[in-house]
Amino acid sequence: MKVFFAQSNVLGFSLMQQWMSDMPKGKREKTKRLRRQQDKELALSAHRLLCYALKKDHGIIPKPDDWGEGENGKPFLVSNTKLHFNLSHSGSIVMCGLHDAPIGVDIERIDEAKDEVAERIMSKEEKDAYFNTKDKKALFYKIWTLKEACIKYSGKGICDALDAITIYPEGEKIRTNVKGCRFTLLNNVPGYQAAVCADSPADNTARWINCDELIDF
């Protein structure tokens, strides 16, 4: 299993066009429809980071028609269906996970704790921990990213019953009622919280890729 992070920087027009041409058609059109320039740059940087990881770790240089979509829209690599990947981005950071089994990743910029959201998405056990901790902000984003990584691991998209899923840190362990996968919290990027869901724990030494590497590979 490999996890990569990168900073999404301001992209010039020619670079955006180049990176966009490498995307599958559906994702390319979706990216073009994004209204905010920052959102377009994040989407392009995330896909570029995935292409970088595939080339550097597996010698794969995917073309736009090398991508497919599963039943619930989770993308896969047509030429190597045994290689799994997942992307996430928040603020100005993009994240990519590669594994030889299903994987889900999530990263969130740490802001304020949101009690109303906690009430809606947390299970009873999670709320008991959250409303009784001294650092609600930290725990909120740990639970949030763990749940998002779990949903993305399953490939089922947004789950209506988020409060039925229990995943939260208790000391050095992750307490959960989700079977068949393992969870890891990553704190590699200051000001952000990240999480990984897979069949085994993630190595906490994720790789940071600078913008020049994404441009030049």
Side-chain angles (χ1 to χ4, degrees):
M1 182 192 307
K2 298 288 181 63
V3 178
F4 303 82
F5 294 100
Q7 179 91 33
S8 175
N9 292 328
V10 175
L11 304 176
F13 178 78
S14 61
L15 195 58
M16 287 187 68
Q17 294 300 109
Q18 176 192 334
W19 288 9
M20 198 171 290
S21 67
D22 293 332
M23 284 181 155
K25 183 178 179 180
K27 190 170 184 178
R28 182 167 62 244
E29 294 304 316
K30 184 178 179 180
T31 300
K32 287 180 180 178
R33 291 195 297 269
L34 294 172
R35 294 184 177 182
R36 297 199 314 160
Q37 178 73 5
Q38 182 183 9
D39 293 334
K40 291 181 180 180
E41 289 168 350
L42 278 169
L44 287 166
S45 296
H47 184 75
R48 184 71 173 180
L49 180 61
L50 170 59
C51 293
Y52 173 94
L54 289 171
K55 180 180 179 182
K56 293 298 182 180
D57 277 51
H58 298 276
I60 297 172
I61 305 175
K63 298 178 181 178
D65 57 355
D66 287 338
W67 308 96
E69 283 192 0
E71 181 179 353
N72 295 295
K74 190 172 184 178
F76 63 90
L77 195 60
V78 175
S79 61
N80 190 340
T81 57
K82 293 183 179 180
L83 182 60
H84 298 258
F85 58 86
N86 199 229
L87 301 175
S88 182
H89 54 74
S90 178
S92 62
I93 305 296
V94 294
M95 178 182 184
C96 171
L98 289 181
H99 194 30
D100 57 5
I103 184 172
V105 303
D106 188 59
I107 187 167
E108 299 292 337
R109 183 171 57 187
I110 297 174
D111 195 352
E112 295 300 319
K114 301 176 176 65
D115 288 355
E116 67 279 7
V117 176
E119 287 283 3
R120 187 174 70 252
I121 63 113
M122 290 185 188
S123 68
K124 180 182 182 304
E125 294 90 340
E126 290 166 342
K127 283 188 281 190
D128 286 345
Y130 172 75
F131 285 107
N132 287 288
T133 186
K134 293 181 180 179
D135 193 350
K136 291 169 68 177
K137 180 191 294 188
L139 187 55
F140 177 89
Y141 283 95
K142 287 176 181 178
I143 293 174
W144 180 266
T145 54
L146 287 166
K147 283 181 180 275
E148 285 287 329
C150 179
I151 291 168
K152 296 171 75 176
Y153 165 85
S154 72
K156 295 180 180 179
I158 298 299
C159 175
D160 293 331
L162 283 174
D163 59 349
I165 302 172
T166 296
I167 323 165
Y168 69 99
E170 188 177 66
E172 297 298 317
K173 297 182 178 180
I174 304 291
R175 291 185 61 88
T176 182
N177 61 359
V178 179
K179 306 297 183 182
C181 54
R182 303 284 295 277
F183 296 92
T184 308
L185 287 165
L186 299 177
N187 301 293
N188 304 73
V189 185
Y192 290 78
Q193 179 64 59
V196 178
C197 176
D199 62 353
S200 58
D203 187 340
N204 203 43
T205 56
R207 293 168 60 181
W208 181 266
I209 310 302
N210 65 49
C211 187
D212 288 341
E213 290 179 274
L214 291 186
I215 293 172
D216 296 334
F217 81 88

